[in-house]
Amino acid sequence: MTPTFFQLIYEFLKTGLFAVGGGMATVPFLKEIARNYSWFTENELLDMIAVSESTPGPIGVNMATYAGFRAAGPLGALCSTLSLIAPSIIIILIISRMMRQFQENKLVQHAFYCLRPASAGLIIGAMASIYHETLFHPGAASFAAWLNVPALILFALFFAGVLRFQKLHPIVFIALGAVCGVILKL
């Protein structure tokens, strides 16, 4: 195994172990990986978030597979994907084995009580980062240049659409977003 494989395994094991809160909680870890390695860029991460939201599978698994493939081909994709999901599988097996035994334990209940807001904070932080990078131009010289007006308008329209047409399947909005991008060439 080359150093790249060990780096993939290490980075995605770490992400899988500490990204508590689901797929969006992996975003800060993935951003750090993008900064430290050439497996994908932060812009590719934003594109992959869009792809992951419109395809089956969680973002972390999709990004691990993508980054692993870019870094080391199919074997790299397999290593990084398995590294990402292994901690969750192991932890869930342990917890499920012990859960019945400790379900009524006050310490366990208190731990879960505090884990929920911690997870929500990680998800909100990732969401804020995605909003900032999608709707604005970080590092722009002026306020006018900082605003990504087309993206802000589309965001507002889609947000209003989701609120107004809550019964529509999310794939409708995803497809509309793709069509708008093709038509408007944004």
Side-chain angles (χ1 to χ4, degrees):
M1 280 195 164
T2 66
T4 301
F5 281 101
F6 290 116
Q7 290 169 326
L8 284 167
I9 291 167
Y10 171 74
E11 290 297 336
F12 286 103
L13 265 173
K14 182 173 65 174
T15 302
L17 185 60
F18 296 111
V20 178
M24 292 308 283
T26 63
V27 172
F29 293 92
L30 296 171
K31 287 180 74 167
E32 188 65 27
I33 290 170
R35 287 187 204 114
N36 294 328
Y37 301 97
S38 60
W39 303 330
F40 57 92
T41 66
E42 288 189 54
N43 263 354
E44 288 172 323
L45 174 59
L46 291 175
D47 292 342
M48 199 59 195
I49 290 168
V51 168
S52 292
E53 291 300 321
S54 56
T55 59
I59 182 175
V61 171
N62 291 348
M63 278 309 298
T65 305
Y66 177 77
F69 186 82
R70 289 271 313 265
L75 187 56
L78 184 63
C79 284
S80 56
T81 303
L82 290 176
S83 297
L84 182 84
I85 64 173
S88 296
I89 292 170
I90 293 166
I91 290 168
I92 289 300
L93 288 173
I94 292 168
I95 289 174
S96 65
R97 182 117 169 112
M98 298 170 57
M99 193 62 172
R100 283 197 179 125
Q101 184 179 357
F102 294 105
Q103 200 166 3
E104 302 300 321
N105 184 306
K106 289 290 181 195
L107 292 174
V108 171
Q109 291 174 357
H110 293 303
F112 278 112
Y113 181 82
C114 291
L115 278 173
R116 291 177 193 134
S119 297
L122 286 169
I123 293 166
I124 296 289
M127 184 179 70
S129 171
I130 293 165
Y131 285 141
H132 181 259
E133 293 175 24
T134 301
L135 303 177
F136 305 99
H137 299 293
S142 68
F143 181 73
W146 180 68
L147 293 174
N148 185 346
V149 175
L152 285 165
I153 292 169
L154 285 170
F155 172 78
L157 290 171
F158 278 99
F159 186 69
V162 168
L163 292 177
R164 174 72 174 95
F165 303 105
Q166 291 179 0
K167 293 186 182 198
L168 283 178
H169 196 279
I171 197 72
V172 172
F173 296 102
I174 292 167
L176 281 171
V179 169
C180 286
V182 169
I183 292 171
L184 301 173
K185 297 179 183 157
L186 298 175

